[in-house]
């Protein structure tokens, strides 16, 4: 984000010759929003499931950025699809009945809007799978479960938030509506997911192991400014097993002008590199600290490379794309989960910007689409062909 602001300032100074004003804290309102683009997690969904819409704003062709939580979302028919405007679930739509609707994202301050035609189908769930299978967790720790549904129209959706999660013994383990399981006491219980007459289950074992040590990874990194890096805090238990305690740790950066680190739920341990220099990332858990050194250099992004290039897949198949950033010192970094992915025809194939599935394309009908990746003012494209 800092690089985007610097780029914007530099562009303004070049155009109007006011370079002596070095105040970088002022508003970005002088670069107006000129268009909005809506992307969808799925091109269509089954009734009673959910879909995440994302809004991306283009600011005078200077840069693109996500504005999902800043627009007002509406559905043309809320008996078919309702869509959230809450800050933590903005753009999340819930299907209530089959049919076709138009989803609109509006920026009220600029008076701009974009629309997306969307269908809720009457597809029926064929199979339900959950993960992880057979987890073993120390008492007091958690495991996040996910549920995937395959429907009779050959589509697959993540339905973790709409299945009914249950535990056979809540004195051993409890599980909430999102699939987050909490180990209570040693023993074994069965975790089940149920939806639309289908079910899946697995055994969940809770051990009596206790916390022994803490480690932060990755360590001793050198990266350019403008990247987001995920750090992880891992607790090693007395029985040799390990637990991811990233969300339960308190994170600090020794130099927040070099890099910041998040303590927000869902993004804990996420480090944003800001400016060249050195910093130490610290995680504190159970009164124990662990650290990792980070150096931020002054290299800049020169180009992006997308792979695979000009590939072909069958209808309903998926293909994982990756985006590699090449920097001014010839170093290369995987930016797959940081670029903005786009397909120029979602009816042929979509590509995901959803966390955990970034760059995953899915084909829906035969034809040819252009897949693009954009980051830090640079865009690269490739062609994806879909065949019957």
């Amino acid at each position: 984000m800092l690089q985007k602001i610097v780029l914007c300032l530099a562009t303004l100074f070049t155009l109007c010759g006011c370079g002596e004003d070095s105040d970088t804290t002022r508003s970005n309102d002088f670069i107006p929003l000129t268009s909005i683009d809506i992307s969808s997690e799925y091109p269509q969904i089954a009734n009673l499931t959910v879909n995440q819409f994302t809004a991306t704003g283009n600011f005078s062709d200077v840069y693109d950025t996500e504005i999902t939580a800043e627009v007002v979302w509406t559905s043309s028919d809320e008996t078919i699809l309702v869509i959230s405007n809450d800050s933590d679930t903005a753009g999340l739509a819930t299907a209530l009945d089959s049919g076709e609707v138009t989803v609109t994202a509006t920026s009220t301050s600029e008076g701009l809007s974009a629309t997306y035609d969307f269908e809720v189908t009457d597809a029926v769930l064929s199979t339900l799978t959950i993960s992880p299978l057979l987890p073993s967790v120390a008492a007091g720790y958690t495991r996040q479960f996910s549920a995937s549904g395959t429907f009779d129209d050959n589509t697959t959706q993540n339905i973790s938030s709409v299945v009914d999660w249950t535990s056979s013994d809540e004195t051993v383990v409890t599980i909430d509506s999102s699939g987050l399981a909490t180990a209570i006491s040693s023993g074994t219980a069965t975790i089940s997911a149920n939806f639309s007459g289908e079910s899946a289950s697995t055994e969940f074992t809770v051990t009596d192991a206790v916390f022994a040590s803490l480690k932060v990874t990755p360590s001793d990194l050198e990266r350019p400014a403008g990247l987001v890096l995920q750090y992880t805090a891992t607790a090693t238990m007395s029985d040799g097993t390990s637990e991811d305690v990233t969300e339960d740790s308190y994170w600090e950066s020794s130099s927040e002008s070099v890099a910041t680190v998040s303590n927000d739920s869902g993004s804990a341990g996420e480090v944003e590199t800001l400016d060249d220099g050195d910093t130490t990332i610290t995680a504190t858990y159970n009164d124990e600290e662990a650290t990792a050194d980070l150096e931020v250099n002054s290299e800049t992004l020169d180009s992006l490379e997308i792979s695979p290039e000009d590939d072909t897949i069958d209808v309903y198949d998926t293909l994982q794309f990756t985006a590699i950033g090449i920097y001014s010192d010839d170093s290369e970094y995987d930016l797959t989960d940081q670029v903005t992915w786009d397909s120029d025809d979602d009816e042929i194939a979509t590509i995901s910007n959803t966390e955990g599935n970034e760059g995953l394309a899915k084909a829906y009908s035969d034809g040819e689409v252009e897949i693009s990746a954009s980051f830090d003012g640079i865009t690269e494209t490739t062609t994806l062909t879909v065949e019957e």
Side-chain angles (χ1 to χ4, degrees):
M1 180 60 72
L2 181 62
Q3 284 186 329
K4 290 178 180 176
I5 295 172
V6 172
L7 174 61
C8 296
L9 289 169
T11 302
L12 180 67
F13 296 157
T14 300
L15 292 174
C16 65
C18 50
E20 67 247 28
D21 184 357
S22 60
D23 180 9
T24 61
T25 65
R26 62 182 182 174
S27 170
N28 261 348
D29 291 344
F30 57 89
I31 300 182
L33 175 70
T34 48
S35 65
I36 300 171
D37 180 66
I38 299 175
S39 58
S40 175
E41 182 179 5
Y42 303 105
Q44 61 187 39
I45 58 173
N47 189 22
L48 303 180
T49 65
V50 296
N51 180 73
Q52 180 64 55
F53 289 97
T54 301
T56 301
N58 176 270
F59 289 79
S60 304
D61 288 331
V62 176
Y63 66 90
D64 295 330
T65 191
E66 184 182 332
I67 55 172
T68 303
E70 300 166 32
V71 297
V72 176
W73 294 94
T74 56
S75 166
S76 62
D77 190 339
E78 292 193 343
T79 66
I80 295 174
L81 190 78
V82 293
I83 188 163
S84 174
N85 281 293
D86 293 343
S87 59
D88 55 346
T89 57
L92 183 65
T94 302
L96 303 179
D97 198 359
S98 60
E100 296 181 354
V101 298
T102 298
V103 171
T104 302
T106 303
S107 173
T108 55
S109 56
E110 287 85 1
L112 295 173
S113 64
T115 60
Y116 192 102
D117 293 331
F118 194 72
E119 181 183 4
V120 178
T121 73
D122 57 5
V124 176
L125 183 66
S126 299
T127 58
L128 177 63
T129 59
I130 63 173
S131 64
L133 297 177
L134 303 176
S136 179
V137 179
Y141 292 86
T142 61
R143 274 290 186 275
Q144 180 64 57
F145 281 83
S146 64
S148 177
T150 300
F151 294 82
D152 61 3
D153 60 355
N154 292 319
T155 61
T156 301
Q157 294 177 226
N158 184 325
I159 55 174
S160 303
S161 63
V162 296
V163 299
D164 180 24
W165 294 101
T166 60
S167 167
S168 64
D169 189 343
E170 293 192 344
T171 65
V172 174
V173 57
T174 60
I175 188 164
D176 68 14
S177 60
S178 71
L180 182 64
T182 301
I184 304 300
S185 61
S186 58
T188 301
T190 299
I191 297 296
S192 299
N194 299 275
F195 180 78
S196 191
E198 298 291 331
S199 63
S201 62
T202 188
E203 284 193 352
F204 191 109
T205 301
V206 180
T207 71
D208 56 6
V210 295
F211 172 73
S213 63
L214 184 68
K215 182 179 182 180
V216 169
T217 54
S219 61
D220 301 325
L221 283 186
E222 179 183 353
R223 291 291 186 270
L227 298 186
V228 175
L229 312 172
Q230 181 61 59
Y231 279 71
T232 301
T234 303
T236 299
M237 314 306 293
S238 58
D239 61 357
T241 61
S242 59
E243 299 290 341
D244 185 338
V245 294
T246 303
E247 287 285 338
D248 301 313
S249 299
Y250 178 74
W251 294 89
E252 294 176 284
S253 169
S254 63
S255 178
E256 293 195 343
S257 63
V258 174
T260 58
V261 59
S262 174
N263 281 292
D264 293 340
S265 176
S267 63
E270 194 173 87
V271 171
E272 183 176 3
T273 59
L274 301 178
D275 201 359
D276 57 297
D278 297 318
T279 188
T280 299
I281 304 300
T282 301
T284 304
Y285 175 78
N286 204 32
D287 295 328
E288 183 163 336
E289 291 184 354
T291 63
D293 293 330
L294 172 63
E295 178 184 350
V296 180
N297 60 41
S298 58
E299 306 301 334
T300 56
L301 181 66
D302 280 347
S303 61
L304 290 170
E305 289 186 357
I306 300 177
S307 62
E309 290 186 273
D310 302 330
D311 212 334
T312 301
I313 60 175
D314 294 331
V315 172
Y316 298 123
D317 280 353
T318 60
L319 181 64
Q320 179 65 56
F321 284 91
T322 60
I324 302 298
I326 302 173
Y327 283 76
S328 51
D329 62 350
D330 293 325
S331 60
E332 299 183 3
Y333 301 108
D334 189 342
L335 303 180
T336 302
D337 60 354
Q338 296 180 57
V339 301
T340 299
W341 293 98
D342 186 60
S343 164
D344 70 350
D345 192 336
D346 284 345
E347 292 186 359
I348 296 174
T350 61
I351 189 161
S352 177
N353 287 290
T354 304
E355 184 177 358
N357 290 307
E358 296 93 342
L360 182 65
K362 182 159 187 178
Y364 290 92
S365 65
D366 63 308
E368 190 174 277
V369 296
E370 185 177 88
I371 299 295
S372 65
S374 302
F375 184 74
D376 202 18
I378 294 177
T379 298
E380 184 61 39
T381 63
T382 190
T383 300
L384 176 63
T385 302
V386 181
E387 298 180 342
E388 289 281 6

